[in-house]
Amino acid sequence: VYIPGNEYGPGLGYGPVPAGLAMYDCTSGASVPNTTTRNACARFVGRGLNYSPKWTSNLTAQYDFHVLGGTITPWVQLTYTADQWDTLWHASQDYIPQHTLLNARVAFQAQANWRLELFATNVTNALYVQGVSAGSGITPYSTLVSIGAPRQMGARIRYTF
């Protein structure tokens, strides 16, 4: 049933690595985990690619209310990103846990040429890992963690000439 002014949009993504895909690290001097062989090739068959979660999904909803000689549009979006890896080695320090974020905004579009919008991202102020990387040569056994953006709020005003 279509209701004028009502819009919603679910989305779902699935991205497994094909079972037959063979990826190798054959660089000179490569150090292969769990071996004592140098200059060997590491086989990464079936491992997820870097920053490639198996599942992502989102659910978005908005509705247009025609009031005050214009349109007020509330909008909300829920996104989910499954766990993923930072490198093909899949060592414990390369793991990025799953996270869910909620974003929202409300906009007023006047019949004239202006628009006012209030927005908030990461409404629940979720603490989540956005990326990881190995430490420098000075601290080889450390991991640098990038935390995702905290809650952010703002406003936009637009006038079209």
Side-chain angles (χ1 to χ4, degrees):
V1 175
Y2 174 74
I3 301 172
N6 185 30
E7 293 183 28
Y8 59 93
L12 182 65
Y14 178 69
V17 175
L21 180 63
M23 298 174 286
Y24 295 92
D25 178 4
C26 296
T27 57
S28 178
S31 176
V32 179
N34 303 319
T35 71
T36 57
T37 307
R38 301 220 17 107
N39 297 326
C41 291
R43 191 165 188 251
F44 298 110
V45 173
R47 293 190 182 188
L49 298 174
N50 301 351
Y51 294 102
S52 297
K54 189 174 276 190
W55 289 98
T56 61
S57 62
N58 67 70
L59 181 61
T60 305
Q62 73 178 38
Y63 189 85
D64 293 339
F65 295 95
H66 301 282
V67 295
L68 304 172
T71 305
I72 294 177
T73 307
W75 174 93
V76 65
Q77 179 185 55
L78 184 68
T79 65
Y80 169 78
T81 303
D83 56 349
Q84 55 193 304
W85 296 95
D86 177 61
T87 70
L88 293 173
W89 299 110
H90 292 196
S92 61
Q93 70 271 15
D94 301 330
Y95 178 74
I96 300 173
Q98 61 85 27
H99 62 273
T100 302
L101 297 176
L102 177 65
N103 302 309
R105 75 174 173 242
V106 62
F108 177 71
Q109 175 71 52
Q111 287 182 353
N113 299 340
W114 63 275
R115 175 184 173 98
L116 172 65
E117 185 175 306
L118 304 173
F119 66 88
T121 59
N122 191 3
V123 171
T124 62
N125 205 27
L127 181 64
Y128 64 99
V129 176
Q130 185 175 22
V132 295
S133 62
S136 66
I138 298 170
T139 56
Y141 300 106
S142 66
T143 298
L144 305 173
V145 177
S146 297
I147 300 299
R151 178 187 308 123
Q152 297 178 9
M153 296 179 285
R156 296 181 186 104
I157 298 175
R158 180 177 71 193
Y159 184 83
T160 305
F161 296 95

